């Protein structure tokens, strides 16, 4: 898992990942835990039963990782907004993403802290 600052070129980052053979999905975070979880749900097309909590996030991401073919990169953009408003929630989501990155070698996680 890598954490990048606000100076990153998102389009360039995506182009590099695609060139390296990864499917890329960008999740634009929100200023609240609920908004950020909703962004993950919408962007990654989580099932209706998604519970809007960290355990459900971990379950859905794990399922997607196991079912994905090839390399996959999740980019959580605008993570700083949640970090400012709810540091505990931001740390929780980061922990879920770090575990996903460690457990599934075909999954790459990038957090953009802006």
């Amino acid at each position: 898992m890598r954490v990048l600052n606000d100076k990153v070129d998102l389009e360039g980052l995506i182009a590099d990942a695609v060139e390296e053979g990864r499917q890329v999905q960008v999740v634009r975070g929100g200023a609240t835990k609920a908004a950020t979880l909703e962004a993950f749900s919408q962007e990654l097309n989580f099932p209706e039963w998604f519970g809007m909590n960290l355990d459900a996030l971990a379950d859905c991401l794990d399922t997607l990782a196991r079912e994905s073919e090839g390399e996959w990169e999740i980019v959580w953009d605008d993570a700083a907004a949640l970090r400012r408003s709810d540091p505990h929630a931001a740390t929780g989501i980061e922990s879920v993403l770090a575990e996903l990155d460690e457990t599934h070698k075909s999954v790459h996680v990038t957090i953009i802290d802006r």
Side-chain angles (χ1 to χ4, degrees):
M1 184 171 85
R2 61 186 174 169
V3 178
L4 304 175
N5 65 29
D6 63 345
K7 306 282 189 265
V8 69
D9 171 19
L10 180 59
E11 289 180 22
L13 183 138
I14 293 169
D16 288 347
V18 169
E19 187 175 305
E20 293 171 6
R22 293 192 295 273
Q23 174 188 3
V24 180
Q25 290 178 283
V26 177
V27 176
R28 298 202 188 282
T32 66
K33 180 180 177 182
T36 300
L37 291 174
E38 180 65 26
F40 273 92
S41 177
Q42 291 296 313
E43 182 60 38
L44 302 176
N45 199 28
F46 286 171
E48 290 292 319
W49 56 260
F50 177 62
M52 297 295 288
N53 61 58
L54 296 181
D55 288 337
L57 177 64
D59 289 345
C60 286
L61 289 173
D62 183 65
T63 298
L64 288 174
R66 285 186 282 109
E67 294 175 352
S68 71
E69 296 178 13
E71 301 283 312
W72 177 40
E73 182 155 351
I74 299 173
V75 178
W76 176 21
D77 194 8
D78 299 326
L82 183 60
R83 193 175 320 286
R84 283 188 301 273
S85 69
D86 190 344
H88 181 72
T91 299
I93 292 171
E94 247 182 74
S95 294
V96 168
L97 294 172
E99 183 176 328
L100 179 75
D101 189 76
E102 290 173 18
T103 303
H104 299 280
K105 297 305 174 197
S106 63
V107 176
H108 307 268
V109 176
T110 300
I111 298 172
I112 302 175
D113 205 17
R114 62 170 147 197

